[in-house]
Amino acid sequence: MGGISRLFVVSRGEIAVRTIRAAQEMGITAIAAYSDADEDSLAVRLADESVNVGGAHAKKSYLNADALLAAAAQVDADAVHPGYGFLSENAAFARRVADAGLVWIGPDADTIEKMGDKARAIETAKAAGVPVVPGSDGLVADADAGVAAAETIGYPVLIKASAGGGGRGIRIARDPEELRSGIVAAQQEAEAAFGDGGVYLERFIARARHIEVQVLGDGVDAIHLFERDCSLQRRRQKIWEEAPAAVLDPAVREAICASAVDLARSVGYRGAGTVEYLYDADTHEFFFIEMNTRIQVEHPITEEICGVDLIAAMIRVCRGESLPWRQEDIRPRGHAIEVRINAEDPARGFLPAPGEITTLTWPLGPGVRVDSMAYAGYGIPPFYDSLIGKLIVWGEDRERALARLRRALHEIEIDAPATTLPFFGTLLEQDAIVANDVHTTWIEEWMEGQD
Ligand code: ADP
Ligand code: ADP
Ligand code: MG
């Protein structure tokens, strides 16, 4: 596998910036891939070199494997970091990168295949002894098979696209009638959105918490870097994350983290990955839902409590080094919170709000970190995800992290068409959030009560 001296960063936005920073600190030349819409991006400004990979629409650039591979050859890259989204969990692309003689900063294509398909990943988890949500035992062929399976699962059930992600490809069915029509519609939608119509069923776990474990493997051994609580979501998309999950008692924490390591070891995992679970705070039961075989948006809160650089660690294990830490070296300290700054208007149903950022002042001071591609004068393009940055705070405990978040939100000034920042100020005033008494549909239920 050998060394890496020229890393091709094929993501965009804040994660491209984050990856470039890690590479440069390691003495690696960072080369940014950019689309026509991203010529003026911070990634292009910060990278050592950059190369245009095609049109503004992601299909022509960040999702265009041919264009990315041609550009990788042109810039003489020796490794590819996919970030998240786009082709980051695309096994065919990972295979082509490796076949071209480049190092893929992620697990090998076979592992992505095994874990990226959600129905298949559930089978792998079961085989590793990891508890899963009661469900259909694989894909459901048609509406009849679904209704039969739901009799034992119990309603409501979720119909989930096996190739889904980013909160998309999931719908609820409360009775057999809804399930029948839902399966047909979900199969068609999944075929159109992901090019794969496979769907499976899961019992809907009401008022659960989303808890996920960060793992890191070197292909032989694996460790965990503790867990994150990502229960504050809107439409099944995370908007506020914390580490550690303060709701867990030490025995449950140990069990859930151990199960994630068992799963990673069982597939000879290499790279950074996240094992996602739903957690029932009343019964203390946890259930595997999926594994993401890439770096996640909310990785910085783990970095803050563990004092590590996960992007650098990914690069190290993927260039052939063994794990940089033993499990006992990972000693979390304090509490970290991340809020996602999206170019969306909370006052107008979170409508995307691209456009120019005219003035920008980031918060500074102790325990504050911002991962973002935004700068004053930056034009947020309308073509991509609305995430423009993440505000991350660390405190000695959760209470102090909350106080720091409040202080940092007070310091931030972004003049842009709209951002989600004011929404976090409102959330911080809610007793349930201060008391950490929330679940995955808490925000939606609370918002319904507002109007
Ligand atoms: P994380 O899992 O890191 O918390 P998200 O679920 O928000 O973060 O996903 C990160 C990014 O990847 C988002 O831009 C999301 O839209 C995108 N994404 C994730 N999975 C898929 C998928 N299967 N298809 C398309 N986009 C995806
Ligand atoms: P994605 O691939 O889109 O990230 P996940 O399977 O991770 O999909 O689920 C996304 C979110 O949907 C979860 O964080 C949770 O809020 C909700 N969810 C998923 N499965 C269930 C379930 N069985 N019961 C209740 N909520 C669920
Ligand atoms: Mg998920």
Side-chain angles (χ1 to χ4, degrees), residues 63 84-86 88-89 163-168 193-194 210 212 228 230 236-238 241 274 276 290 292 294-299 340 385-387:
L63 286 170
Y84 52 69
F86 300 123
S88 61
E89 295 186 271
R168 293 172 312 143
F194 314 113
H210 173 114
E212 57 184 37
R228 302 183 281 259
C230 315
R236 301 192 180 96
Q237 286 177 330
K238 303 158 188 165
E241 302 99 348
T274 301
E276 296 191 331
E290 68 154 342
N292 291 319
R294 55 170 166 86
I295 194 71
Q296 273 189 299
V297 173
E298 58 275 21
H299 75 278
R340 297 193 188 194
D385 194 281
S386 64
L387 185 74

Side-chain angles (χ1 to χ4, degrees), residues 2 12 23 51 54 62 69 79 82 186 195 251 258 269 281 309 318-319 326 382 394 397 401 403 418 451:
R12 67 170 302 282
V51 55
Y62 303 109
L69 286 159
Y269 197 84
D309 181 332
C318 291
R319 74 183 173 194
R326 293 165 303 176
W394 179 90
D397 52 32
D451 30 70

Side-chain angles (χ1 to χ4, degrees), residues 308-385:
V308 300
D309 181 332
L310 284 169
I311 305 281
M314 293 176 87
I315 294 173
R316 290 176 65 176
V317 293
C318 291
R319 74 183 173 194
E321 291 176 36
S322 48
L323 283 171
W325 315 289
R326 293 165 303 176
Q327 186 64 63
E328 58 269 30
D329 296 331
I330 305 300
R331 297 175 179 280
R333 194 169 158 258
H335 194 89
I337 304 175
E338 170 184 285
V339 295
R340 297 193 188 194
I341 309 170
N342 287 306
E344 295 172 2
D345 191 350
R348 294 169 67 202
F350 293 85
L351 199 71
E356 197 189 332
I357 298 176
T358 48
T359 57
L360 174 61
T361 310
W362 289 126
L364 297 167
V368 177
R369 163 176 172 181
V370 175
D371 279 20
S372 174
M373 80 290 223
Y375 57 85
Y378 175 62
I380 303 159
F383 307 102
Y384 314 108
D385 194 281

Side-chain angles (χ1 to χ4, degrees), residues 105-117:
I105 309 298
D108 57 42
D110 291 344
T111 307
I112 299 178
E113 241 155 32
K114 210 179 273 175
M115 303 310 292
D117 178 288

